[in-house]
Amino acid sequence: MDEKVKIKIEHEISRIDKSLHSVKPLLVLCKTKKPDIIEMTAAAQVLHSFYNGVESVIVLFFKYLDDKIPNDFKWHKTLFEMAFGINSKNVKIIRNDIKKKLEKYLLFRHFIRHSYSSELDWNEMGPLIKEIEDIWEIIKTDFEIFIKNN
């Protein structure tokens, strides 16, 4: 892998690490009690930022692979599918066993872009916040394996 691309990808990975580390008190709070509307709004931003970061890394991988980045109205979903091997190179960036869980973050990303804080539902958000660190460790490992092997 080209050193410039590797540096960009590692920078994005470190940004996600830093982001999750900086909101650790919120993540802990959300695991111990139902958050109020302000805490839920903050947690929604964490979920949105997290998925955007993952997506940014995926884009960098496909630019490195010289694969076409989608740009239609469904590009987020298309890019998501590409990360699991549905791309012109048949390259998997993320293992399949995490696909259903990660897709929930993609769906939440879409939801939060078109909703108001008063529409947040902790029953939907809670599992995403509670699993975000574990999901990230799996995805980060897959990213690191991809970097190492390319």
Side-chain angles (χ1 to χ4, degrees), residues 26 30 35-48 104-105 108 111-112 115-117 119-132:
L26 177 64
C30 289
D36 63 26
I37 187 64
I38 295 168
E39 294 157 344
M40 274 197 344
T41 302
Q45 177 59 37
V46 169
L47 293 171
H48 183 258
K104 292 177 183 177
Y105 291 86
F108 185 81
F111 166 78
I112 200 63
S115 64
Y116 296 94
S117 293
E119 298 171 324
L120 294 172
D121 180 353
W122 187 244
N123 293 325
E124 295 291 323
M125 289 178 57
L128 299 178
I129 283 292
K130 291 174 183 175
E131 291 186 55
I132 196 168

Side-chain angles (χ1 to χ4, degrees), residues 31-135:
K31 289 177 183 178
T32 58
K33 74 171 189 84
K34 181 180 177 184
D36 63 26
I37 187 64
I38 295 168
E39 294 157 344
M40 274 197 344
T41 302
Q45 177 59 37
V46 169
L47 293 171
H48 183 258
S49 293
F50 168 71
Y51 189 80
N52 282 346
V54 169
E55 198 170 67
S56 293
V57 175
I58 294 168
V59 166
L60 288 170
F61 281 133
F62 283 110
K63 285 182 177 180
Y64 160 73
L65 292 169
D66 201 28
D67 207 336
K68 184 180 178 198
I69 305 298
N71 68 355
D72 61 0
F73 72 98
K74 296 188 312 182
W75 79 269
H76 295 280
K77 178 68 172 166
T78 304
L79 186 69
F80 174 84
E81 294 295 336
M82 288 173 69
F84 292 93
I86 302 171
N87 56 70
S88 69
K89 313 263 193 239
N90 294 320
V91 173
K92 284 187 182 187
I93 296 171
I94 304 171
R95 66 187 88 165
N96 281 336
D97 62 346
I98 199 78
K99 186 174 184 178
K100 286 184 181 181
K101 288 187 178 193
L102 186 58
E103 187 171 30
K104 292 177 183 177
Y105 291 86
L106 166 64
L107 295 171
F108 185 81
R109 182 222 165 269
H110 178 75
F111 166 78
I112 200 63
R113 302 269 304 160
H114 304 282
S115 64
Y116 296 94
S117 293
S118 61
E119 298 171 324
L120 294 172
D121 180 353
W122 187 244
N123 293 325
E124 295 291 323
M125 289 178 57
L128 299 178
I129 283 292
K130 291 174 183 175
E131 291 186 55
I132 196 168
E133 293 170 299
D134 293 336
I135 298 289

